[in-house]
Amino acid sequence: MLKIGIIGFGRIGKVHAWSIQTRVENACVLRICDPFMNPAMEAEAQKLGIQRWGTDAGELIHDPDIDAVLICSSTHTHAALSIEAAQAGKHIFCEKPVDPDPKRITEVIAAVEKAGVHFQVGFNRRFDHNFKALRQAVEQGKVGDPHFITVLSRDPEAPSLDYVKVSGGMFMDMTIHDFDMVRYLSGSEVSEVYAVGDALVNPQIKELGDIDSAQITLRFENGAIGCISNSRRAAYGYDQRAEVFGSRGSAATQNDTPSTLILSDEQGIQQEKPLYFFLERYMQSFADEIASFTESIVENKPTAVNGRDGLIPVLMAKAALKSMREHRPVTMAEIKQEEGVEHV
Amino acid sequence: MLKIGIIGFGRIGKVHAWSIQTRVENACVLRICDPFMNPAMEAEAQKLGIQRWGTDAGELIHDPDIDAVLICSSTHTHAALSIEAAQAGKHIFCEKPVDPDPKRITEVIAAVEKAGVHFQVGFNRRFDHNFKALRQAVEQGKVGDPHFITVLSRDPEAPSLDYVKVSGGMFMDMTIHDFDMVRYLSGSEVSEVYAVGDALVNPQIKELGDIDSAQITLRFENGAIGCISNSRRAAYGYDQRAEVFGSRGSAATQNDTPSTLILSDEQGIQQEKPLYFFLERYMQSFADEIASFTESIVENKPTAVNGRDGLIPVLMAKAALKSMREHRPVTMAEIKQEEGVEHV
Amino acid sequence: MLKIGIIGFGRIGKVHAWSIQTRVENACVLRICDPFMNPAMEAEAQKLGIQRWGTDAGELIHDPDIDAVLICSSTHTHAALSIEAAQAGKHIFCEKPVDPDPKRITEVIAAVEKAGVHFQVGFNRRFDHNFKALRQAVEQGKVGDPHFITVLSRDPEAPSLDYVKVSGGMFMDMTIHDFDMVRYLSGSEVSEVYAVGDALVNPQIKELGDIDSAQITLRFENGAIGCISNSRRAAYGYDQRAEVFGSRGSAATQNDTPSTLILSDEQGIQQEKPLYFFLERYMQSFADEIASFTESIVENKPTAVNGRDGLIPVLMAKAALKSMREHRPVTMAEIKQEEGVEHV
Amino acid sequence: MLKIGIIGFGRIGKVHAWSIQTRVENACVLRICDPFMNPAMEAEAQKLGIQRWGTDAGELIHDPDIDAVLICSSTHTHAALSIEAAQAGKHIFCEKPVDPDPKRITEVIAAVEKAGVHFQVGFNRRFDHNFKALRQAVEQGKVGDPHFITVLSRDPEAPSLDYVKVSGGMFMDMTIHDFDMVRYLSGSEVSEVYAVGDALVNPQIKELGDIDSAQITLRFENGAIGCISNSRRAAYGYDQRAEVFGSRGSAATQNDTPSTLILSDEQGIQQEKPLYFFLERYMQSFADEIASFTESIVENKPTAVNGRDGLIPVLMAKAALKSMREHRPVTMAEIKQEEGVEHV
């Protein structure tokens, strides 16, 4: 039984704790910590059968009974905690992004490699049943050579302006999942990025220097063309779809819905809206990513989303931002050089 | 924390144990028993955190730490165990059918009422997200007055001939779920049944005196017309759909699939087949029916599927069989009289 | 160029005239007649390039320039006009039903055979692109041996009470198309009929001795089971679907809609309602049935819907009515004997 | 009855002749001409009831019985014939593109305005039932303020290399319809274009200096973002879809199929591929655009697709080509200036 410690017991930390305790075999949560630990959190931990808790991440990391840590704390702590955990010989699951600074991510990668521990980044959507089926279809050659990779990703509600201020910008906060997705689906690396963006949902977001709507054109090393379309607000809910079109055809996913009910009346033929938001849509994928992480440790095989997979989407977000600001296509080579990570 | 004992640790008993331990709050499995308890079962129990096991149902029922029992043993034991548990003051969840003999079910109902315990019958499909959404649409008046209630229920594979021999016949074994479903969806009682059936999938089933394909016409007390269509084998998999059509429109459910992938190639536009069989399609509903059962106990409110709900489908199965054999419509009144349960 | 005369220039007569003049090659309408011919009809004829018109069917039939007649007049005139046309050596397309009296239809069949002319009955739905595709799938063995043939047929609006009075009853007026359809789709003959019906849409229809909702169970000679479900009013419009389910799978058709538009908003995901009614849904099929008729003449091959195809659905309607009234299944053999058409 | 002359009796000329003779009221084809007129064409004309034919476009234009001309000849003749017809006082329907040279189109527009005749350009897809329904949904405010306009347009087969050589390039030959469509759907003008393109289907097309796959990012004057995705070959057939996404939701169209048949078997759940190509998909729209043209003449109202609508897509094609070649976004203002049509 793999013993896990969770650093950060906010929304996503709780999701992982619940998943592990109820849906992941061969692993259990032994300890949690959160700088804002409080009685409600303690009660929740107890209910989940977690017996140790505290406020100190270092104590958790150095708890000799802990085999692996899940880093679910604030983004700015991810890299330092990852390095500390690696040095302590713990396996690491780190929420995305590992760090907004690509160079810092390379330091994490180096520490992980030196320590020889397993390291996985929290791009959970790779474990969604729909995107997994799409990836499998591509891998099995069902669409032939990929020509177009299209990801449509729209949130049901724009975030609060307070959130926008600390989000790191839409590309780093929201699109980063889609940057990972196009790499996952295409099986190829992006060579160039062209981004347009605007605040079409809420003009106040523009005043904060951010955007809420974007469309990103990608070129891949294998020649394929990519498109990511983002909106912070779809009136009908969380819209998460993708298509890979190639020489032999197209594979595309639809949204999941609460039920398959079709209501036909004088108004028309009506289906349900998509599942509300990421917690509803991706709940099973959160469990599956952790199961994959623990399996990679137990069976000593590479993690499904490694350090490099954590790094490249951050570089893509930087390329998109630069492209939008400078109103021109930006190559990944240019960004890598700029960030001092040419050799990734 | 409600403490539960499970009698019978076969397929469905294990499903319930797993559900309770991982998906049902406020309840846990304290003890299991099975006449064929073996080391593999014990290991599985331990893995699920169940600490007591044995072969004797009576011991489990009389374990003073047990609040409620789940009766998942062979059908012929359901009634006796239910009565014993009721007399011991335990709440009871009993798998369907409670008994093939309607009169025997009335004895269970009487024992449960006398003991004042909660009693729920395992018609899990009422808790399926699709059928629940359909029922809600009907209840909310979205289809107006129901005119037609249609249930389509097809299995992916015909059962083995050995199973057919002991199944109690297709109406009692398979259609019984659909008999419950039409009552649930319509919010009305069936007044008359006309059934045709044949062995179209496998003629050997006919030699055993059973059928594998049937179509049942129903009349409801509220005037509506019903249709149940059954096949023991759909080549494309488990087909479980329903429609309620009424004065204001139609509400209909579709199948669930492993993913929403659509593959378009030279052959056509292809979606996935339905989830394989009842364990895949109804897994969540098994958890939800137990959660509903424990909630009814904790909140001291009526169970969602009571003893009468366990009785009527058995009478409907008998009516269907009589109709098919005598080649004529059979009223429920006739069957009730015949079975000596006129006053149900 | 086949020269056609149309008897009866009401709604369906005009549809055929328009189809022939605009969509059928190798045929043209030379003459029309209608007992209520008026200036508006004449103007419409002229606009369609029809040069001869009058009130007398006999004159039209005996016009030596006419090769074939379309009988689109009142039902009670169909048989007599068909026989007269046959005796005049004209090819005949006769709207359904040929006659409500089966014996009378056999007289038409005899006259047609004696005269050696082509005779086609107006079951246009066989030419609908969806049902044709379904039939082809069955013929090509894609569903294997048929087990269930299901036809769902619902009108968008109940007819006026005045129409109901002269309609001949729902089975003869509306279901007759579905009786033809199950024969067409199954490639087998019906052996037994069990019908339930009621006035669920409008109770006044019941007072007139008719019904507006029905469900008919069929047994086929090849062992298959059939179901026809009828309503005179679906709030969401004209619902015309069918399924053939067999040993290798299922083939099913959906409704046609004005467009494929999907509107997603806060209310849900909404598609368009079906095409309004039979003129919209089956317009192309009306043209195609006439094209098939003229082709059978020009190429001297059997018509696609012959006299017997006109007779059997009438017998099925009679069987359904008797079944409903006597509350028991009725064999086709019984009806044939009763109607004195045992040898059909 | 409006009397029409058709110049050019190739594929599209024949489609229009057939449409007018069979599907357009109040108009008829009086005369056709084609420089390669031959007996087969004459026979076809006769069959359609067209009585005058020849090889000379001038004669047709100056035939005093002709009210309107359809210019369906080679692209390089469109402008000169349009001007000649305008000067002769004839109403004009001109196939797209009016001319590859924007300035030349402005000359046509000037001639048409001076003559006071009606002029319509053959962007038939505006008359497709799906795109029309989508446009109406947008106009009715059902999607709110448009944020994203997406057009997906894929052909079933790449053209022959011989065709590619004379096609004017993919943007001018194929994408031009999509350039029109985004203007039609958005109700706004494009301000900037960024295009990427490649020969992913057939590398030989690249050797000829053309492309077969492209993705075009658009910015609209109303702030919306657009995307056109093109492929010369989709293995599953002609894929023609669009979406407008806005503040209140999304409206999207699907493909049309030969039938609605769904085949479910061991392989999966399969629907039909889209209608084969533009003649199948857009046949009714060809008739409807001509009906709209004749209606605009008869009722003396503006045509649905005017000279400016013919010009702007040509400018957009030029902008796309320049963007792709120079690897940067190109504004429409820049292109207008370059082409000397600043004031359009």
Side-chain angles (χ1 to χ4, degrees), chain A residues 154 170 194-200 211-217 227-231 324, chain D residues 146-151 182 186 188 190 192 216-228 243-245:
Chain A
R154 296 166 178 164
M170 193 178 78
Y194 176 77
V196 298
D198 213 330
L200 302 176
I211 56 171
D212 55 33
S213 304
Q215 184 172 288
I216 301 147
T217 300
C227 185
I228 295 171
S229 181
N230 282 150
S231 170
M324 183 173 70
Chain D
H147 293 177
F148 290 91
I149 291 97
T150 306
V151 169
V182 295
S186 67
S188 177
V190 164
E192 192 180 88
I216 301 148
T217 300
L218 307 162
R219 292 306 307 266
F220 290 84
E221 289 177 359
N222 66 6
I225 297 166
C227 185
I228 295 171
E243 189 206 25
V244 179
F245 172 88

Side-chain angles (χ1 to χ4, degrees), chain A residues 102 190-194 221 314-344, chain D residues 194 327:
Chain A
V190 163
S191 54
E192 190 181 87
V193 175
Y194 176 77
E221 290 177 358
V314 171
L315 292 169
M316 290 168 76
K318 289 189 170 282
L321 194 64
K322 192 171 197 192
S323 168
M324 183 173 70
R325 287 187 176 153
E326 302 188 0
H327 204 51
R328 63 173 178 91
V330 170
T331 63
M332 289 300 287
E334 175 185 338
I335 288 293
K336 285 181 184 175
Q337 190 173 31
E338 196 169 295
E339 298 290 336
V341 294
E342 293 87 346
H343 304 299
V344 181
Chain D
Y194 176 77
H327 205 50

Side-chain angles (χ1 to χ4, degrees), chain C residues 21 25 74 87 89 95 111 135 139 141 146 149-150 166 175 179 184 203 209 219 229 235 237 241 270 321 328:
Chain C
Q21 300 301 74
E25 292 191 56
S74 303
Q87 288 167 347
E95 276 304 322
R135 173 62 190 147
E139 266 184 328
I149 291 97
T150 306
V166 301
T175 321
F179 289 135
Y184 173 64
R219 293 305 308 266
S229 181
R241 288 178 281 165
Q270 189 158 311
L321 194 63
R328 64 174 178 89

Side-chain angles (χ1 to χ4, degrees), chain B residues 217-232:
Chain B
T217 301
L218 307 162
R219 292 308 306 267
F220 291 84
E221 291 177 358
N222 65 7
I225 297 166
C227 186
I228 295 170
S229 182
N230 283 150
S231 172
R232 282 290 200 182

Side-chain angles (χ1 to χ4, degrees), chain C residues 86-323:
Chain C
Q87 288 167 347
K90 310 294 181 177
H91 304 295
I92 302 155
F93 177 93
C94 182
E95 276 304 322
K96 61 93 211 166
V98 178
D99 199 273
D101 176 3
K103 208 153 191 177
R104 187 77 173 129
I105 304 179
T106 60
E107 292 168 13
V108 172
I109 294 172
V112 161
E113 281 177 0
K114 193 175 166 199
V117 295
H118 285 78
F119 181 79
Q120 184 170 323
V121 180
F123 284 124
N124 63 292
R125 294 185 195 172
R126 292 186 179 208
F127 301 89
D128 172 70
H129 63 140
N130 294 322
F131 294 126
K132 219 158 53 181
L134 176 49
R135 173 62 190 147
Q136 279 166 7
V138 174
E139 266 184 328
Q140 291 163 0
K142 289 189 177 168
V143 303
D145 299 325
H147 293 177
F148 291 90
I149 291 97
T150 306
V151 169
L152 185 68
S153 174
R154 296 166 179 163
D155 284 354
E157 287 297 340
S160 69
L161 295 177
D162 282 347
Y163 179 85
V164 167
K165 284 176 199 162
V166 301
S167 68
M170 193 176 80
F171 291 141
M172 196 65 85
D173 179 58
M174 175 179 175
T175 321
I176 196 145
H177 277 293
D178 308 312
F179 289 135
D180 178 62
M181 186 52 65
V182 294
R183 293 181 69 238
Y184 173 64
L185 293 177
S186 68
S188 177
E189 290 293 351
V190 164
S191 54
E192 191 182 86
V193 176
Y194 176 76
V196 297
D198 215 329
L200 302 176
V201 172
N202 182 358
Q204 291 178 288
I205 287 175
K206 201 164 198 171
E207 292 166 21
L208 297 176
D210 203 357
I211 56 173
D212 55 32
S213 303
Q215 185 171 289
I216 300 148
T217 301
L218 306 163
R219 293 305 308 266
F220 291 84
E221 290 177 359
N222 66 5
I225 297 167
C227 186
I228 295 171
S229 181
N230 282 150
S231 172
R232 282 289 200 180
R233 181 176 184 278
Y236 53 89
Y238 196 44
D239 196 351
Q240 298 276 300
R241 288 178 281 165
E243 188 206 26
V244 179
F245 172 88
S247 54
R248 294 186 58 191
S250 154
T253 62
Q254 306 300 305
N255 288 308
D256 289 336
T257 52
S259 85
T260 61
L261 192 74
I262 296 176
L263 187 69
S264 303
D265 61 18
E266 289 190 2
Q267 304 307 310
I269 313 302
Q270 189 158 311
Q271 293 179 258
E272 290 211 58
K273 291 191 287 183
L275 287 170
Y276 177 59
F277 209 170
F278 68 96
L279 284 182
E280 289 78 14
R281 164 69 185 263
Y282 293 121
M283 189 51 82
Q284 185 63 41
S285 81
F286 287 122
D288 290 348
E289 69 173 350
I290 301 296
S292 170
F293 172 60
T294 61
E295 189 184 303
S296 75
I297 296 168
V298 170
E299 301 185 6
N300 196 25
K301 59 182 190 186
T303 59
V305 194
N306 63 23
R308 191 170 184 280
D309 295 325
L311 171 58
I312 304 290
V314 171
L315 292 168
M316 291 167 76
K318 288 188 172 282
L321 194 63
K322 191 172 197 190
S323 167

Side-chain angles (χ1 to χ4, degrees), chain D residues 171-303:
Chain D
F171 291 141
M172 196 64 86
D173 178 59
M174 174 180 177
T175 321
I176 195 145
H177 277 293
D178 308 311
F179 289 136
D180 178 62
M181 185 54 62
V182 295
R183 293 182 67 237
Y184 173 65
L185 293 178
S186 67
S188 177
E189 291 292 353
V190 164
S191 55
E192 192 180 88
V193 176
Y194 176 77
V196 297
D198 214 330
L200 302 176
V201 172
N202 182 356
Q204 292 178 287
I205 287 176
K206 201 165 197 170
E207 291 167 21
L208 297 175
D210 201 358
I211 56 173
D212 54 33
S213 303
Q215 185 172 287
I216 301 148
T217 300
L218 307 162
R219 292 306 307 266
F220 290 84
E221 289 177 359
N222 66 6
I225 297 166
C227 185
I228 295 171
S229 180
N230 283 150
S231 171
R232 283 287 201 182
R233 183 176 182 278
Y236 54 89
Y238 196 43
D239 197 351
Q240 298 277 300
R241 289 178 282 165
E243 189 206 25
V244 179
F245 172 88
S247 54
R248 294 187 58 191
S250 152
T253 62
Q254 306 301 306
N255 288 308
D256 290 335
T257 52
S259 86
T260 62
L261 193 74
I262 297 175
L263 187 69
S264 303
D265 61 17
E266 288 191 1
Q267 306 305 312
I269 314 300
Q270 191 158 311
Q271 294 180 258
E272 290 210 57
K273 291 189 287 183
L275 287 171
Y276 177 60
F277 209 171
F278 68 94
L279 284 182
E280 290 78 14
R281 164 69 185 263
Y282 293 120
M283 188 50 81
Q284 185 63 41
S285 80
F286 287 122
D288 290 349
E289 70 172 350
I290 301 296
S292 170
F293 172 61
T294 62
E295 190 185 301
S296 74
I297 297 168
V298 170
E299 301 185 5
N300 195 24
K301 58 182 191 187
T303 58

Side-chain angles (χ1 to χ4, degrees), chain A residues 96-97 123-125 151-159 163 167-181 201 205 210-214 216 228-234 237-240 277-278 282 313 317, chain D residues 148 245:
Chain A
K96 62 92 215 168
F123 284 124
N124 62 292
R125 294 184 194 174
V151 170
L152 184 67
S153 175
R154 296 166 178 164
D155 283 353
E157 288 298 339
Y163 180 85
S167 68
M170 193 178 78
F171 291 141
M172 196 65 86
D173 179 57
M174 175 180 175
T175 320
I176 195 146
H177 277 293
D178 308 310
F179 289 135
D180 179 62
M181 186 53 63
V201 173
I205 288 176
D210 202 357
I211 56 171
D212 55 33
S213 304
I216 301 147
I228 295 171
S229 181
N230 282 150
S231 170
R232 282 289 200 181
R233 182 178 182 276
Y238 195 44
D239 197 351
Q240 297 276 301
F277 208 170
F278 68 95
Y282 293 120
Chain D
F148 290 91
F245 172 88

